[in-house]
Amino acid sequence: MLVVFRAVVVFAGMVGAHRGEPVEAPPARVEAPSVSEAAPVGLPGLHNVVRYPGGVLSGGVPEGGAAFDTLKSIGVATVISVDGAEPDVEAARARGLRYIHLPVGYNGFDRERLVELSRAVRDAMREGGVYLHCHHGKHRSAAAAAAVAVSLGWASAEEAVARMKVSGTAPTYAGLYACARGATPLSEEALAAAPAAYPEVAKPAGMVRGMLELDDALDHLRLIERAGWETPADHPDLVPAAEAGRLADVLRLLGEGTESRAKGDAFVRRMAESADRARSLEEMLAGPRGPADLGRLSERLDSVSASCKSCHAAHRD
């Protein structure tokens, strides 16, 4: 998927140039994408930004203060997260932006959540622009933006699904596509029935919290892998064996939990297999190893990642 970086620099007039004085250009002005863009746009601190019918923007999680500066500069007044992770409310608030947190899953969301999202977006658009995000901005936020656009009468289902494809929503996320394809315009009565106040932070729990911790551990292990399977110089707090152990423990505890058992024996077995692979990685990292083992470590980490993806395809997507 092509990603375009968009920034328009506006130069000052040459005031004082006739006196030989140096002229400084003002800071770059960031320009938000239009609904006609055929590829996602990268903006300072923001990735995979796509505009949907009605004006709402979808993209990845804002990264640092610069991202919220960007959002403010392009007219966004409200940030809505559909990710499970706790949003950076303080950074947004410091710039006068409002946060709303309404998480959704990779397998889609129910009508109640869609109505909540639709009212939240509609009401927020009266105050300014809306930026709707998940983690990467490709799947969950795209589906939410698409379904909301249909629900508020801003687009047909076909138009909304087409924008999801621009965002890069993977075909394997059938539940997310179904949310957009199955959406229909909501009546004023239906929207009015949704609550008018929404939380800044919806605390994740159980499976959601566990999956977030798994993502965090996997990200740390990739940093360790790039450092030659040693503690990265820029992340001295990361201990290779400890991160692998954390990964194994979370997988094991999730597999033993009531939410996993409710999903059936096949899901529990997959979690146990993933935990065993992670434990094997931990044991190798905890023991003596030579240069020839570096490739084997990467193979084992790839094996854990592959098991997670296959489990998602079978039970989440």
Side-chain angles (χ1 to χ4, degrees):
M1 177 65 67
L2 174 66
V3 177
V4 181
F5 182 81
R6 172 71 59 81
V8 177
V9 180
V10 181
F11 291 98
M14 300 300 290
V15 177
H18 65 282
R19 297 192 298 269
E21 298 173 1
V23 177
E24 292 185 6
R29 185 183 73 211
V30 178
E31 182 180 301
S34 71
V35 75
S36 63
E37 298 278 0
V41 168
L43 302 175
L46 304 170
H47 302 284
N48 216 67
V49 182
V50 174
R51 189 178 294 277
Y52 279 70
V56 65
L57 293 166
S58 167
V61 61
E63 297 181 352
F68 293 102
D69 290 334
T70 297
L71 290 170
K72 189 173 181 66
S73 74
I74 61 176
V76 167
T78 304
V79 183
I80 301 178
S81 172
V82 295
D83 188 31
E86 183 174 326
D88 191 352
V89 173
E90 293 303 321
R93 191 182 295 153
R95 291 157 178 84
L97 303 179
R98 177 191 181 196
Y99 236 122
I100 295 174
H101 193 196
L102 297 170
V104 303
Y106 280 91
N107 59 343
F109 39 91
D110 59 19
R111 186 179 186 277
E112 180 180 2
R113 178 61 89 201
L114 175 55
V115 174
E116 290 175 333
L117 284 165
S118 298
R119 175 160 187 180
V121 169
R122 186 200 63 176
D123 292 353
M125 292 285 279
R126 294 169 178 165
E127 306 298 325
V130 171
Y131 182 73
L132 204 158
H133 77 82
C134 55
H135 186 59
H136 296 294
K138 292 184 177 182
H139 311 301
R140 290 168 293 168
S141 67
V148 165
V150 178
S151 296
L152 294 178
W154 296 338
S156 67
E158 292 75 15
E159 291 168 334
V161 166
R163 296 310 287 168
M164 288 178 68
K165 293 178 180 178
V166 172
S167 289
T169 308
T172 52
Y173 292 109
L176 293 178
Y177 274 107
C179 288
R181 290 192 176 105
T184 57
L186 293 170
S187 66
E188 285 298 321
E189 291 76 14
L191 290 167
Y198 298 102
E200 288 185 312
V201 178
K203 294 289 186 182
M207 185 68 72
V208 172
R209 180 176 290 278
M211 289 298 175
L212 290 172
E213 192 165 354
L214 289 179
D215 285 345
D216 192 50
L218 283 168
D219 286 344
H220 286 173
L221 285 165
R222 288 301 182 189
L223 292 175
I224 290 167
E225 179 187 32
R226 288 196 288 273
W229 288 103
E230 301 293 341
T231 296
D234 55 346
H235 289 277
D237 56 320
L238 298 185
V239 179
E243 288 300 315
R246 177 163 72 109
L247 182 67
D249 283 343
V250 173
L251 284 164
R252 177 180 59 83
L253 292 171
L254 285 178
E256 294 173 351
T258 55
E259 289 181 78
S260 289
R261 292 197 297 272
K263 292 179 180 291
D265 293 341
F267 182 85
V268 172
R269 283 196 301 273
R270 285 179 180 274
M271 295 295 285
E273 290 168 2
S274 295
D276 288 342
R277 295 180 185 187
R279 187 66 66 193
S280 174
L281 177 64
E282 179 194 12
E283 291 171 355
M284 191 172 179
L285 285 168
R289 61 182 186 276
D293 292 321
L294 298 183
R296 293 175 57 212
L297 286 166
S298 293
E299 289 175 1
R300 294 189 184 192
L301 179 57
D302 289 343
S303 176
V304 177
S305 295
S307 68
C308 289
K309 290 178 181 177
S310 65
C311 186
H312 290 166
H315 298 283
R316 184 184 71 178
D317 304 341

